[in-house]
Amino acid sequence: VRLCQLYQAIKAAENPGKGKGKGGGSVGEVEKKEVDVRIVMTGFKKRGVAPSAEILKLTGKYVDDLETVRKVRVTYSGKAVDPDESLRLALKAAGCDGSSAVVAGLIRIANNAYTPVAELAAARKRAGGRPFPYGTVDGRGHMLNAFAELPAVECSAFVPGQVESCVTIMRNILAASASTDGVAGIDGHELLVRYVDSFLPRNVAGSAQEDDAEMAS
């Protein structure tokens, strides 16, 4: 489900629609920009002795894509793959291992929040040393129990896949990590904490004083 939602969200950037002028007036069509999205599924095939990777082709039609993902997913066992090995296989299958294309951003959807620290660093080095965005959608909430042990990686984000708005949360955190308003270079842990903190009430002490004054009157 999250994979299909992410695919639709990313591909939606190709058709931003009409721009808006002052007062909400249309200023014409915004130029369409093609987004090259490469989806790779990695893992141990059933009865397989080594992990493998295969390209997954989606159409953007939500229901059809769900069925496509389901059919491929049932061919894999539940055996875990080392995250560095998994990313290495995925990048090679997608042609982004330095042979033809470089990575603009990576999102991992898995049943845990393990991070391919070594292979991610190598991929970023091949991309010119820039810390392109990296995100993990943790389908089983592993990050909630292991948050303190997760590696602090620049321009990264971890989100629990059980949360319905996880796609939006990841977009906001990664957008913040790439901004220039004083948060660039901060690791994903602090960005997530800051994001959650932004929803918490402010001026608690002042509110308590106002409540006391109301009770006294």
Side-chain angles (χ1 to χ4, degrees), residues 4 7 10 31 36 40 73 114 120 148 170 177 180 193 202 214:
C4 296
Y7 183 76
I10 295 171
E31 182 181 357
D36 183 5
V40 185
R73 188 171 180 270
Y114 294 121
L120 177 60
M170 173 165 293
S177 71
T180 57
V193 171
R202 293 295 185 265
E214 290 178 2

Side-chain angles (χ1 to χ4, degrees), residues 9-26:
I10 295 171
K11 294 297 286 185
E14 291 186 347
N15 297 290
K18 293 184 177 181
K20 296 292 184 179
K22 291 184 178 180
S26 174

